[in-house]
Amino acid sequence: MKKQYFSYQETIDFLNTAATEHPNLIRVQSIGETWEKRPIVMATISLDVANADTKPALLYTGTIHAREWIGIELANNFIKYIIDNYQFNPKLQQALTLNTLYIVPCLNPDGFEFSRTHFSFWRKNRRDNGDGSFGVDLNRNFGVRFKTRSDTSSNTYSGPNEFSEPETSAVRDFVESHANITIALDYHSQGNVFFPAHKFNHEAEIDTTDLNILCANMAFEIEKVTGRKYGIHRGKPPTNLINGSGREYYYNRGIIATVVEVGTKNIPDYMENMSQSVNENIPALVYAFGSAINYSHLAPKRVDNFNLTELTENNISLEWEYSENDPVYFEIYRSISHKSPCTDDNLVGITKSLFFTDVQLKTSQYYFYKIRAVDQKTKIKGPYAPELKLKTLLAHDKYSKTLFPASQDIGYVGQYTQEKNQEHFGLNSLFIGINKSRGICYGVIAFSLDRLPDDATIKQASFSLYPMNRVSAKIEGYGEWGISFLDASSVPNIRDYNDIANATVIHSGQTIESDRVTQGVWSAWHLNGKERDILQQQLKTGTVLIRIDGPTLLPKGNDSQMMQFDIGYGRFGSGIHYRPNLDIIYSRQPKTVEVSPTAVNTISENGIVTGSLQSGYDENGHEIYGQLSFALHSMPDPEKTVITDAYLELENSSALGDKKDIRFTVELAEFEGINIESIKQRESIQYIGYEVGHEQLRYKTQHFFDFDTLSRTELEGFHLGNKQAYFIIRATAALKNGQGELINWLNDPVHDKQAKLVIEYIERAKFALQPPSDIKTSIENRTTKITWENPESKDLLGSFVVRNRFHPPRSPFDGVKIYAGQDTYTYDNFGNPNIPKYYSIFSYDDVPNYSIPTCIYFSVEETIPVIEIDPEEVEIQGDDNMQSSGDDI
């Protein structure tokens, strides 16, 4: 028996004492009786507890698996925290005033006591199965997708029939008689991860965003306490999921439900690890408790049709629908990663309008937007609309490539699995770290750089992996996972452990500590300057070889510190949407053209002097203007020319008189005719560079006037419109002391002493192609098939297909990526054909510029059978019985 942990009887005594001392706050009852005649105790906690059942409620269940002691331990400590803090903690007071907490510290009392006093690794309850075996896995005994199993000795034996066990039938009866429950949290160990509930589809549900944000905000509270990051992982349904779980039962009744897997051991060192797990989870519970009302009938309804209306390099415009009669306002949240919390830190808009524009964004950056309605009077917040995922446009002089490894170029090599290492490529998962059966394991990924041009200059790059399981990372706060760039020429065989282990390392990059590797949340390595230089050098070889490193030693008494990452290939891979990728933004080496003026004039009250270029003041103080014209026909196709830099070069052959406060500026301008009146009435578009004055003109004769962003854009417009660019050189004086001051600007083409317009440019398409056409859907072999016609264009690189269940995607990133390439058909292999949805298809070029979407709404009247894999079989996927999902859920 471990000391310091609550026993079940101590829990009962603690709850009864608390109820006696705080009768207005706590009520204790038994909701059933176990096989061994123990009461299944529940505490009801709320201010004015007599009215608790009329308020929105959170249901807490703990220790449904006997060996997972965190559930009962956290429950008791949370109740103690409430008692000690509710009279002065405003968040807790508000939660207790508006909501009710139903808390079952231990849903498996018999199993827990057996684990505590006899066999600590016991999981099931203590049913006598009548054949010499004992126990049912209570988390396989609920009535959603219950599946009978014959092996009664199995740790996951589900029982003779659904709700056959007194523990599960007790909580069922309670839930079905309490429609006020809006959130259910089921506490397990281990993994430091949230497992939100499923409806067993490959599709997002209308409340997927609610599930993710509930978990993300709880994870945010946890991280504030200990710095530990919890993952959020729903798995990939309908395969790889358990049957008969409480989580799915609650969710099936319309309750926002999640499992919380805490810690890395079932029964850890209390003083160090268990107390830390308890302390970090209490603020998360306070947040979740206060959120119960947001999913009740008292909350505003969900926002409809939240979507994109306009997208640029730096701005995004959004719109949505809501009844104008409802007294609400809207909160808009923005983050740069999926499954991020919604807090005051990323609340970017509060508005009564049905539209919102977000400005000053970064170019080519992913953004995730969430929105909810808030009641103006009560301040109760509603559920979230489905998350909107967008990516701002590329800067006008940049390109982007997202590189994926070929199946033969991604896998892992194990120290003790030399004979199987050949089979580890393109199959299911990367196992990285160390355990006793495999030894040290490295991930290996080779990316071909052939799609990047030889003159590419890499500006940004990031490498991303999807962690799908961290249950085998069993040591709390131990080890790091990182990437190393290898010299590919030093690796004869990427499938050989010794070749990978002994490879020449060009650079070891950033690492992610064990406590911050999150299951179900992408791990991203944003390459720094040195790493981008290495990537730049690899362009010469055409390949970049990355090794993913984990811990290589196990402390005494430990058998595993192993992470599992998805590769998007194989029977248990999840397709391109989860494939490791290298995202690169680059520019190209610009070309330079020097443009000579087509016209040079000096314009004054006395007329026009052609071929002369002067500016200043005449003897009467009237302005004299220099005027230049440049034709841009020497540059390439304006639809595929981006000006990256430009400047006007002038030389002067005279200077000003001493201490004359006169400045000379250059304007890009438009005017009707070459005469003094037209020049005076000109439309000034933009000043070019900075003005020059006495000092610059006296001591330098060569001057450069640089174009800013607006000027370059206008110059591109002149090029596109086949117009000449007109410049005016004018003088300005602070005082009326400019009489007779005149600057001669050299105009001597013979001796190359004339004005020049110098332009740097790259040839890059600026405009999107026509969209695909004739989009159609059909069912083929129980799978949705999408077909279309690509536009006729030599610049077409391919078409991009994306799926969204809730609205037509107006961005290629707003939904699940199905396909990208040159074919005119694809299959939605990871979707459920029985669920209506939208498909959008975008054509794209090599920049890529994406077209406007061609969209189709898909729905079938008949039911299409979906083949599922038995989730219990998943536990033997890969090799060596490495499991692919949380093993204790």
Side-chain angles (χ1 to χ4, degrees):
M1 180 176 74
K2 300 281 184 181
K3 293 183 179 180
Q4 298 170 308
Y5 286 89
F6 277 87
S7 70
Y8 192 62
Q9 185 58 51
E10 287 170 340
T11 296
I12 294 173
D13 294 343
F14 164 66
L15 293 178
N16 287 332
T17 299
T20 300
E21 294 178 351
H22 305 275
N24 274 341
L25 179 67
I26 301 174
R27 181 176 70 220
V28 177
Q29 68 189 99
S30 172
I31 61 171
E33 191 174 76
T34 68
W35 292 111
E36 295 179 351
K37 305 304 180 183
R38 290 185 177 89
I40 302 168
V41 177
M42 168 182 282
T44 300
I45 304 175
S46 187
L47 287 174
D48 188 18
V49 74
N51 294 311
D53 295 342
T54 66
K55 302 177 186 180
L58 181 148
L59 172 65
Y60 175 115
T61 52
T63 312
I64 193 172
H65 289 144
R67 64 195 180 199
E68 298 172 24
W69 295 9
I70 182 63
I72 186 171
E73 200 65 29
L74 176 59
N76 289 330
N77 279 273
F78 185 42
I79 293 169
K80 186 176 186 304
Y81 176 86
I82 291 172
I83 292 170
D84 292 344
N85 292 274
Y86 81 96
Q87 291 181 319
F88 58 85
N89 183 321
K91 288 184 179 179
L92 197 52
Q93 278 188 343
Q94 184 177 35
L96 288 162
T97 300
L98 299 177
N99 307 281
T100 292
L101 173 65
Y102 298 126
I103 187 163
V104 183
C106 181
L107 195 52
N108 185 2
D110 294 348
F112 170 65
E113 281 301 305
F114 188 74
S115 168
R116 209 175 64 81
T117 61
H118 181 65
F119 175 32
S120 63
F121 211 60
W122 187 255
R123 172 182 170 99
K124 300 184 285 183
N125 74 351
R126 292 298 295 165
R127 165 193 272 272
D128 184 345
N129 293 321
D131 58 0
S133 70
F134 285 83
V136 166
D137 182 346
L138 296 178
N139 211 34
R140 301 293 187 275
N141 189 244
F142 286 82
V144 175
R145 294 169 62 95
F146 173 82
K147 186 169 185 177
T148 303
R149 308 227 174 242
S150 59
D151 185 1
T152 58
S153 63
S154 168
N155 262 342
T156 56
Y157 172 56
S158 57
N161 52 267
E162 63 185 52
F163 293 116
S164 62
E165 305 310 294
E167 298 90 347
T168 55
S169 59
V171 76
R172 174 201 62 194
D173 293 345
F174 183 84
V175 169
E176 292 185 0
S177 64
H178 288 78
N180 59 324
I181 298 173
T182 64
I183 296 176
L185 303 178
D186 188 19
Y187 275 83
H188 292 243
S189 59
Q190 51 179 304
N192 292 334
V193 61
F194 293 88
F195 286 128
H198 278 282
K199 290 185 179 171
F200 296 92
N201 294 310
H202 271 303
E203 311 283 356
E205 303 295 339
I206 189 68
D207 51 15
T208 293
T209 301
D210 296 309
L211 284 162
N212 283 336
I213 292 175
L214 173 69
C215 297
N217 281 8
M218 292 179 71
F220 178 74
E221 295 296 330
I222 290 169
E223 187 177 1
K224 286 196 295 186
V225 177
T226 59
R228 183 177 292 111
K229 287 182 70 71
Y230 272 49
I232 304 167
H233 193 201
R234 295 187 81 192
K236 276 82 67 181
T239 61
N240 302 18
L241 292 171
I242 63 175
N243 294 312
S245 76
R247 173 188 65 178
E248 269 67 54
Y249 166 72
Y250 305 134
Y251 189 45
N252 195 56
R253 294 189 59 82
I255 297 169
I256 297 295
T258 185
V259 159
V260 190
E261 297 272 3
V262 180
T264 57
K265 288 184 179 178
N266 292 314
I267 309 170
D269 180 296
Y270 192 97
M271 292 297 290
E272 182 177 354
N273 300 133
M274 179 62 87
S275 60
Q276 194 175 84
S277 293
V278 166
N279 292 336
E280 70 187 6
N281 273 279
I282 284 177
L285 274 167
V286 173
Y287 167 79
F289 182 25
S291 300
I293 197 169
N294 298 341
Y295 301 100
S296 72
H297 68 281
L298 301 171
K301 69 180 183 67
R302 196 185 312 273
V303 170
D304 289 328
N305 295 323
F306 183 45
N307 212 337
L308 170 73
T309 59
E310 186 177 4
L311 180 67
T312 70
E313 293 178 19
N314 306 110
N315 300 336
I316 287 173
S317 293
L318 310 171
E319 67 178 5
W320 55 93
E321 296 176 6
Y322 210 87
S323 171
E324 294 182 0
N325 298 323
D326 289 0
V328 300
Y329 59 88
F330 306 99
E331 293 181 343
I332 302 154
Y333 297 84
R334 179 190 72 213
S335 55
I336 59 172
S337 59
H338 187 37
K339 300 177 183 176
S340 291
C342 290
T343 68
D344 287 344
D345 290 341
N346 65 332
L347 177 62
V348 295
I350 298 176
T351 181
K352 273 285 291 179
S353 301
L354 298 179
F355 57 88
F356 174 75
T357 298
D358 203 6
V359 299
Q360 301 300 318
L361 303 174
K362 294 183 178 179
T363 63
S364 194
Q365 171 71 58
Y366 286 105
Y367 290 103
F368 299 80
Y369 287 89
K370 274 82 74 174
I371 188 172
R372 64 180 174 186
V374 182
D375 188 293
Q376 287 181 240
K377 183 177 180 181
T378 66
K379 306 305 179 188
I380 297 173
K381 303 173 188 295
Y384 291 90
E387 180 182 69
L388 198 58
K389 179 184 177 184
L390 308 168
K391 189 179 184 182
T392 49
L393 300 184
L394 279 163
H396 77 299
D397 60 341
K398 299 294 191 301
Y399 295 77
S400 176
K401 290 287 184 291
T402 300
L403 306 180
F404 300 95
S407 59
Q408 67 269 20
D409 293 333
I410 180 170
Y412 78 97
V413 291
Q415 183 181 13
Y416 304 150
T417 60
Q418 282 284 29
E419 293 182 359
K420 291 187 176 182
N421 285 342
Q422 292 286 331
E423 303 170 9
H424 291 164
F425 281 70
L427 179 66
N428 299 334
S429 304
L430 299 178
F431 296 109
I432 300 166
I434 182 172
N435 67 18
K436 288 193 173 179
S437 62
R438 285 181 170 86
I440 299 167
C441 293
Y442 295 108
V444 184
I445 304 180
F447 289 98
S448 171
L449 302 177
D450 290 346
R451 290 175 56 202
L452 273 67
D454 293 339
D455 65 344
T457 301
I458 296 172
K459 298 295 185 181
Q460 297 177 45
S462 62
F463 169 67
S464 299
L465 280 175
Y466 186 80
M468 61 186 298
N469 185 10
R470 61 158 295 138
V471 169
S472 293
K474 296 181 179 180
I475 311 170
E476 199 80 48
Y478 176 79
E480 298 176 334
W481 280 259
I483 57 174
S484 293
F485 294 89
L486 304 183
D487 180 354
S489 66
S490 71
V491 184
N493 181 4
I494 65 171
R495 303 184 181 205
D496 183 273
Y497 171 82
N498 291 321
D499 287 349
I500 292 298
N502 298 318
T504 300
V505 176
I506 302 172
H507 173 74
S508 290
Q510 308 141 58
T511 59
I512 302 176
E513 297 174 348
S514 170
D515 280 5
R516 303 187 71 79
V517 179
T518 52
Q519 180 173 336
V521 179
W522 283 89
S523 294
W525 286 264
H526 298 283
L527 274 56
N528 59 31
K530 181 176 182 179
E531 292 161 344
R532 292 196 300 272
D533 288 343
I534 292 169
L535 199 57
Q536 185 77 47
Q537 294 166 13
Q538 301 306 303
L539 283 176
K540 300 173 184 177
T541 67
T543 301
V544 59
L545 183 59
I546 294 175
R547 185 179 73 195
I548 304 121
D549 306 311
T552 57
L553 293 172
L554 285 171
K556 176 179 64 71
N558 291 277
D559 62 1
S560 178
Q561 192 70 342
M562 184 80 73
M563 279 295 305
Q564 181 183 358
F565 297 88
D566 201 342
I567 68 169
Y569 292 106
R571 183 184 180 194
F572 296 95
S574 303
I576 196 169
H577 196 59
Y578 290 92
R579 198 162 295 164
N581 60 81
L582 185 61
D583 202 14
I584 297 174
I585 295 175
Y586 64 95
S587 61
R588 302 187 68 174
Q589 291 297 320
K591 300 175 182 178
T592 302
V593 61
E594 291 186 357
V595 183
S596 298
T598 55
V600 174
N601 297 293
T602 298
I603 303 171
S604 68
E605 299 287 346
N606 296 323
I608 302 170
V609 181
T610 300
S612 167
L613 191 61
Q614 296 180 318
S615 58
Y617 296 93
D618 65 17
E619 296 297 333
N620 298 317
H622 298 136
E623 284 189 73
I624 298 174
Y625 299 90
Q627 182 264 320
L628 298 153
S629 303
F630 293 90
L632 305 176
H633 53 258
S634 60
M635 294 175 63
D637 181 354
E639 293 193 359
K640 295 183 179 179
T641 302
V642 172
I643 296 174
T644 59
D645 195 13
Y647 60 90
L648 185 65
E649 182 180 340
L650 296 174
E651 290 191 53
N652 63 298
S653 60
S654 64
L656 296 171
D658 288 341
K659 299 182 180 179
K660 292 291 185 179
D661 187 15
I662 301 174
R663 312 291 295 179
F664 291 85
T665 62
V666 177
E667 295 177 24
L668 179 62
E670 286 189 326
F671 41 85
E672 293 295 326
I674 307 298
N675 57 69
I676 190 65
E677 291 304 319
S678 179
I679 296 300
K680 287 181 176 180
Q681 296 173 17
R682 69 191 179 279
E683 180 183 346
S684 179
I685 297 172
Q686 181 72 339
Y687 289 102
I688 305 299
Y690 293 98
E691 72 274 7
V692 294
H694 176 271
E695 292 294 324
Q696 293 94 334
L697 292 166
R698 178 174 293 273
Y699 297 108
K700 291 193 300 183
T701 59
Q702 194 173 34
H703 308 281
F704 301 92
F705 297 84
D706 292 316
F707 283 56
D708 63 10
T709 303
L710 175 61
S711 303
R712 293 195 298 270
T713 301
E714 292 292 338
L715 196 60
E716 282 190 20
F718 286 126
H719 184 208
L720 185 64
N722 196 27
K723 297 179 181 179
Q724 292 201 59
Y726 294 99
F727 297 88
I728 297 296
I729 309 171
R730 62 171 294 226
T732 61
L735 302 173
K736 297 295 183 180
N737 61 351
Q739 289 92 337
E741 293 291 346
L742 199 61
I743 294 296
N744 293 311
W745 305 99
L746 289 174
N747 183 44
D748 183 0
V750 175
H751 298 95
D752 195 27
K753 295 290 187 181
Q754 68 174 148
K756 298 175 186 176
L757 178 58
V758 181
I759 299 173
E760 290 186 359
Y761 66 92
I762 58 173
E763 295 184 57
R764 170 199 185 272
K766 294 192 289 190
F767 303 104
L769 305 175
Q770 290 298 308
S773 60
D774 199 24
I775 182 173
K776 296 177 182 176
T777 56
S778 60
I779 298 296
E780 191 173 295
N781 296 325
R782 297 187 294 269
T783 302
T784 307
K785 182 179 182 180
I786 308 106
T787 63
W788 63 91
E789 292 295 328
N790 284 327
E792 293 283 342
S793 173
K794 61 183 177 59
D795 294 323
L796 177 74
L797 197 61
S799 287
F800 193 105
V801 184
V802 63
R803 178 187 79 212
N804 191 304
R805 186 174 171 185
F806 307 109
H807 57 251
R810 297 174 185 168
S811 159
F813 307 99
D814 182 25
V816 177
K817 179 182 180 181
I818 304 299
Y819 172 79
Q822 295 186 343
D823 291 334
T824 57
Y825 72 95
T826 192
Y827 294 91
D828 187 2
N829 293 316
F830 292 89
N832 188 329
N834 299 297
I835 294 177
K837 68 208 71 175
Y838 298 90
Y839 293 102
S840 282
I841 307 179
F842 305 77
S843 63
Y844 62 93
D845 56 24
D846 71 339
V847 173
N849 295 303
Y850 292 97
S851 72
I852 61 173
T854 298
C855 185
I856 191 169
Y857 179 73
F858 167 81
S859 181
V860 292
E861 294 181 0
E862 73 274 26
T863 299
I864 309 299
V866 177
I867 297 176
E868 299 184 15
I869 299 172
D870 189 327
E872 302 302 330
E873 294 179 3
V874 174
E875 296 185 359
I876 59 170
Q877 73 96 356
D879 55 87
D880 300 332
N881 297 319
M882 177 64 75
Q883 297 174 339
S884 71
S885 58
D887 72 344
D888 277 328
I889 188 174

